[in-house]
Amino acid sequence: QVQLVESGGGLVQAGGSLRLSCAASGSIFSISYMGWYRQAQGKQRELVARIAGGGSTDYADSVKGRFTISRDNAKNTVYLQMNSLRPEDTAVYYCNADISSISKYYMNNYWGRGTQVTVSS
């Protein structure tokens, strides 16, 4: 019954900011990798940012210097702070994580249902 739920999406003007949150819930034993993907209309889903269990991060070149990924292990939550937003950032943003549950001895990969981010010009 592990589940990822995104929040924080919405409509923002170009140059504005949004903070996305993704909370994992259920009988969680541990969480290793967590990441954010996005999919714009008519385009393939792409990796935006990822953060390892130890805190190391990676970003897509298109968002470096503008987006920051972080996590709160106590809350089983990953965040994506998005600044200086551009119309080309418009997409559905999905949370992704590798999680082991109490009932399983191996990691499973989970996806959230996504949250819409729309940046107006």
Side-chain angles (χ1 to χ4, degrees):
Q1 295 183 341
V2 173
Q3 185 178 14
L4 298 177
V5 179
E6 303 97 335
S7 62
L11 175 65
V12 64
Q13 293 183 351
S17 299
L18 285 173
R19 189 182 74 164
L20 305 183
S21 299
C22 172
S25 62
S27 300
I28 297 171
F29 180 76
S30 65
I31 302 176
S32 57
Y33 154 87
M34 301 189 83
W36 288 96
Y37 289 73
R38 68 185 181 187
Q39 186 168 22
Q41 186 174 359
K43 297 183 179 179
Q44 295 184 3
R45 187 173 298 186
E46 64 176 351
L47 176 68
V48 177
R50 58 188 178 187
I51 183 167
S56 61
T57 59
D58 290 295
Y59 297 90
D61 289 340
S62 60
V63 307
K64 286 182 178 178
R66 300 189 298 121
F67 292 9
T68 302
I69 188 171
S70 61
R71 62 192 293 172
D72 186 334
N73 292 331
K75 297 181 179 180
N76 292 328
T77 300
V78 62
Y79 304 94
L80 185 67
Q81 179 66 47
M82 304 185 295
N83 298 326
S84 302
L85 283 163
R86 305 165 180 169
E88 51 264 42
D89 294 319
T90 296
V92 177
Y93 284 71
Y94 297 91
C95 180
N96 181 239
D98 288 337
I99 302 171
S100 64
S101 65
I102 295 175
S103 62
K104 301 292 184 180
Y105 60 87
Y106 56 88
M107 289 282 184
N108 284 329
N109 187 257
Y110 295 87
W111 288 93
R113 292 184 176 181
T115 184
Q116 177 71 49
V117 172
T118 302
V119 184
S120 62
S121 60

